mmCIF file of all heavy atoms in Angstrom:
data_model
loop_
_atom_site.group_PDB
_atom_site.id
_atom_site.type_symbol
_atom_site.label_atom_id
_atom_site.label_comp_id
_atom_site.label_asym_id
_atom_site.label_seq_id
_atom_site.Cartn_x
_atom_site.Cartn_y
_atom_site.Cartn_z
ATOM 1 N N MET U 218 -0.874 -2.845 7.671
ATOM 2 C CA MET U 218 -0.339 -1.773 8.525
ATOM 3 C C MET U 218 1.069 -2.121 8.991
ATOM 4 O O MET U 218 1.347 -3.279 9.311
ATOM 5 C CB MET U 218 -1.239 -1.608 9.765
ATOM 6 C CG MET U 218 -2.567 -0.969 9.457
ATOM 7 S SD MET U 218 -3.670 -0.961 10.904
ATOM 8 C CE MET U 218 -4.681 -2.397 10.584
ATOM 9 N N ALA U 219 1.914 -1.111 9.035
ATOM 10 C CA ALA U 219 3.276 -1.236 9.571
ATOM 11 C C ALA U 219 4.183 -2.132 8.725
ATOM 12 O O ALA U 219 5.213 -2.603 9.200
ATOM 13 C CB ALA U 219 3.251 -1.723 11.019
ATOM 14 N N LYS U 222 5.364 0.664 4.087
ATOM 15 C CA LYS U 222 5.060 1.254 2.772
ATOM 16 C C LYS U 222 5.605 2.675 2.635
ATOM 17 O O LYS U 222 6.156 3.033 1.589
ATOM 18 C CB LYS U 222 3.537 1.231 2.527
ATOM 19 C CG LYS U 222 2.933 -0.175 2.532
ATOM 20 C CD LYS U 222 1.418 -0.175 2.380
ATOM 21 C CE LYS U 222 0.640 0.473 3.491
ATOM 22 N NZ LYS U 222 0.589 -0.243 4.774
ATOM 23 N N ASP U 241 -1.913 8.491 3.333
ATOM 24 C CA ASP U 241 -2.394 8.794 4.697
ATOM 25 C C ASP U 241 -2.090 10.252 5.062
ATOM 26 O O ASP U 241 -2.920 10.926 5.691
ATOM 27 C CB ASP U 241 -1.727 7.874 5.733
ATOM 28 C CG ASP U 241 -2.414 6.507 5.828
ATOM 29 O OD1 ASP U 241 -3.528 6.351 5.311
ATOM 30 O OD2 ASP U 241 -1.807 5.597 6.430
ATOM 31 N N ILE U 252 -5.535 10.785 11.538
ATOM 32 C CA ILE U 252 -6.388 9.654 11.146
ATOM 33 C C ILE U 252 -7.212 9.081 12.315
ATOM 34 O O ILE U 252 -8.418 8.848 12.143
ATOM 35 C CB ILE U 252 -5.547 8.580 10.419
ATOM 36 C CG1 ILE U 252 -5.229 9.096 9.014
ATOM 37 C CG2 ILE U 252 -6.278 7.237 10.353
ATOM 38 C CD1 ILE U 252 -4.282 8.265 8.204
ATOM 39 N N PHE U 256 -11.366 8.556 12.217
ATOM 40 C CA PHE U 256 -12.110 7.339 12.570
ATOM 41 C C PHE U 256 -13.097 7.623 13.708
ATOM 42 O O PHE U 256 -14.249 7.195 13.663
ATOM 43 C CB PHE U 256 -11.146 6.221 13.007
ATOM 44 C CG PHE U 256 -10.663 5.353 11.867
ATOM 45 C CD1 PHE U 256 -9.685 5.795 10.982
ATOM 46 C CD2 PHE U 256 -11.176 4.080 11.689
ATOM 47 C CE1 PHE U 256 -9.232 4.989 9.942
ATOM 48 C CE2 PHE U 256 -10.725 3.258 10.647
ATOM 49 C CZ PHE U 256 -9.751 3.719 9.784
ATOM 50 N N PHE U 264 -13.688 7.735 6.353
ATOM 51 C CA PHE U 264 -12.253 7.605 6.130
ATOM 52 C C PHE U 264 -11.986 6.931 4.784
ATOM 53 O O PHE U 264 -11.131 7.371 4.011
ATOM 54 C CB PHE U 264 -11.579 6.800 7.260
ATOM 55 C CG PHE U 264 -10.141 6.498 6.951
ATOM 56 C CD1 PHE U 264 -9.162 7.470 7.109
ATOM 57 C CD2 PHE U 264 -9.758 5.258 6.451
ATOM 58 C CE1 PHE U 264 -7.829 7.211 6.776
ATOM 59 C CE2 PHE U 264 -8.433 4.984 6.112
ATOM 60 C CZ PHE U 264 -7.467 5.970 6.283
ATOM 61 N N ARG U 265 -12.720 5.857 4.480
ATOM 62 C CA ARG U 265 -12.505 5.145 3.206
ATOM 63 C C ARG U 265 -12.828 6.037 2.019
ATOM 64 O O ARG U 265 -12.206 5.945 0.969
ATOM 65 C CB ARG U 265 -13.349 3.867 3.151
ATOM 66 C CG ARG U 265 -12.982 2.830 4.181
ATOM 67 C CD ARG U 265 -11.594 2.248 3.993
ATOM 68 N NE ARG U 265 -11.179 1.505 5.176
ATOM 69 C CZ ARG U 265 -9.917 1.318 5.535
ATOM 70 N NH1 ARG U 265 -8.931 1.799 4.808
ATOM 71 N NH2 ARG U 265 -9.622 0.650 6.624
ATOM 72 N N GLY U 286 -2.656 3.372 2.269
ATOM 73 C CA GLY U 286 -2.926 2.871 3.623
ATOM 74 C C GLY U 286 -3.256 1.385 3.539
ATOM 75 O O GLY U 286 -3.645 0.883 2.471
ATOM 76 N N GLY U 287 -3.123 0.689 4.660
ATOM 77 C CA GLY U 287 -3.259 -0.770 4.662
ATOM 78 C C GLY U 287 -4.606 -1.305 4.216
ATOM 79 O O GLY U 287 -4.714 -2.470 3.841
ATOM 80 N N GLY U 288 -5.642 -0.469 4.243
ATOM 81 C CA GLY U 288 -6.968 -0.973 3.878
ATOM 82 C C GLY U 288 -7.329 -0.761 2.422
ATOM 83 O O GLY U 288 -8.264 -1.385 1.910
ATOM 84 N N ARG U 326 -2.748 3.284 15.130
ATOM 85 C CA ARG U 326 -3.601 2.632 14.126
ATOM 86 C C ARG U 326 -4.938 2.282 14.800
ATOM 87 O O ARG U 326 -4.991 1.342 15.601
ATOM 88 C CB ARG U 326 -2.957 1.346 13.618
ATOM 89 C CG ARG U 326 -2.106 1.492 12.384
ATOM 90 C CD ARG U 326 -0.694 1.881 12.697
ATOM 91 N NE ARG U 326 0.098 1.919 11.472
ATOM 92 C CZ ARG U 326 1.413 2.073 11.464
ATOM 93 N NH1 ARG U 326 2.092 2.222 12.574
ATOM 94 N NH2 ARG U 326 2.064 2.098 10.324
ATOM 95 N N PRO U 327 -6.011 3.024 14.477
ATOM 96 C CA PRO U 327 -7.290 2.808 15.179
ATOM 97 C C PRO U 327 -7.760 1.359 15.097
ATOM 98 O O PRO U 327 -8.359 0.854 16.038
ATOM 99 C CB PRO U 327 -8.268 3.733 14.447
ATOM 100 C CG PRO U 327 -7.443 4.683 13.658
ATOM 101 C CD PRO U 327 -6.087 4.096 13.470
ATOM 102 N N LEU U 328 -7.464 0.676 13.983
ATOM 103 C CA LEU U 328 -7.982 -0.684 13.830
ATOM 104 C C LEU U 328 -7.207 -1.699 14.664
ATOM 105 O O LEU U 328 -7.603 -2.853 14.773
ATOM 106 C CB LEU U 328 -7.993 -1.092 12.350
ATOM 107 C CG LEU U 328 -8.917 -0.253 11.470
ATOM 108 C CD1 LEU U 328 -8.845 -0.697 10.016
ATOM 109 C CD2 LEU U 328 -10.364 -0.325 11.961
ATOM 110 N N ARG U 345 -7.978 -9.463 4.125
ATOM 111 C CA ARG U 345 -7.416 -8.582 3.094
ATOM 112 C C ARG U 345 -6.499 -9.282 2.107
ATOM 113 O O ARG U 345 -6.188 -8.714 1.054
ATOM 114 C CB ARG U 345 -6.648 -7.450 3.767
ATOM 115 C CG ARG U 345 -7.581 -6.476 4.448
ATOM 116 C CD ARG U 345 -6.808 -5.473 5.234
ATOM 117 N NE ARG U 345 -7.678 -4.467 5.794
ATOM 118 C CZ ARG U 345 -7.246 -3.431 6.477
ATOM 119 N NH1 ARG U 345 -5.944 -3.291 6.701
ATOM 120 N NH2 ARG U 345 -8.087 -2.536 6.950
HETATM 121 C C1 LIG S 547 -5.376 1.413 7.923
HETATM 122 C C2 LIG S 547 -4.031 1.585 7.786
HETATM 123 C C3 LIG S 547 -3.358 2.838 8.117
HETATM 124 C C4 LIG S 547 -4.326 4.017 7.967
HETATM 125 C C5 LIG S 547 -5.565 3.767 8.770
HETATM 126 C C6 LIG S 547 -6.296 2.505 8.344
HETATM 127 C C7 LIG S 547 -5.966 0.082 7.605
HETATM 128 O O1 LIG S 547 -2.227 3.045 7.279
HETATM 129 O O2 LIG S 547 -4.660 4.195 6.618
HETATM 130 O O3 LIG S 547 -5.197 3.687 10.136
HETATM 131 O O4 LIG S 547 -7.188 -0.005 7.419
HETATM 132 O O5 LIG S 547 -5.187 -0.891 7.496
HETATM 133 P P1 LIG S 547 -0.861 2.160 7.368
HETATM 134 O O6 LIG S 547 -1.072 0.951 6.519
HETATM 135 O O7 LIG S 547 0.173 3.072 6.836
HETATM 136 O O8 LIG S 547 -0.680 1.805 8.799
#
Side-chain angles (χ1 to χ4, degrees):
M218 288 174 262
K222 300 176 296 288
D241 278 346
I252 286 173
F256 271 77
F264 172 78
R265 296 295 166 206
R326 268 86 176 189
L328 297 179
R345 289 173 175 183

